[in-house]
Amino acid sequence: MTHPPTWTHPTGQITGDAVKALTPEEYVQAADAGLLDKHLGRAPRPPAEGQLTRTDLNAMSPEQIDTATEAGQFDKLMRGDAA
């Protein structure tokens, strides 16, 4: 599945040898903080507070659209204020 270009993983992703160096407790903390999203194969996330665009909408699944709509991330688009 492709994701809209404005969706990203949280900053500070831990990958490769750095993951191997984590203690079990550090691993759980990093996973909970979203720092292992790429390592665990999780999808990128929509902007936390940002408005999504028509380009984003075209690349989203119906479930993603529902979630973004409920979060108010299409408000500007629905009002005609955004491209």
Side-chain angles (χ1 to χ4, degrees), residues 4 6 50-60 65 68-69 72-83:
T6 58
Q51 291 292 300
L52 299 173
T53 66
R54 194 169 276 111
T55 302
D56 296 326
L57 177 64
N58 290 335
M60 295 171 73
I65 293 169
T69 301
Q73 292 180 297
F74 286 120
D75 289 351
K76 283 188 176 181
L77 185 62
M78 297 298 282
R79 288 192 310 260
D81 296 343

Side-chain angles (χ1 to χ4, degrees), residues 4-27:
T6 58
W7 291 31
T8 60
H9 289 94
T11 57
Q13 290 294 298
I14 302 171
T15 58
D17 290 336
V19 173
K20 295 175 188 174
L22 296 174
T23 66
E25 294 82 18
E26 291 171 333
Y27 187 91

Side-chain angles (χ1 to χ4, degrees), residues 29-56:
Q29 290 173 348
D32 289 346
L35 300 179
L36 297 177
D37 285 0
K38 281 186 180 180
H39 173 74
L40 297 173
R42 293 180 182 158
R45 300 177 186 184
E49 297 180 25
Q51 291 292 300
L52 299 173
T53 66
R54 194 169 276 111
T55 302
D56 296 326

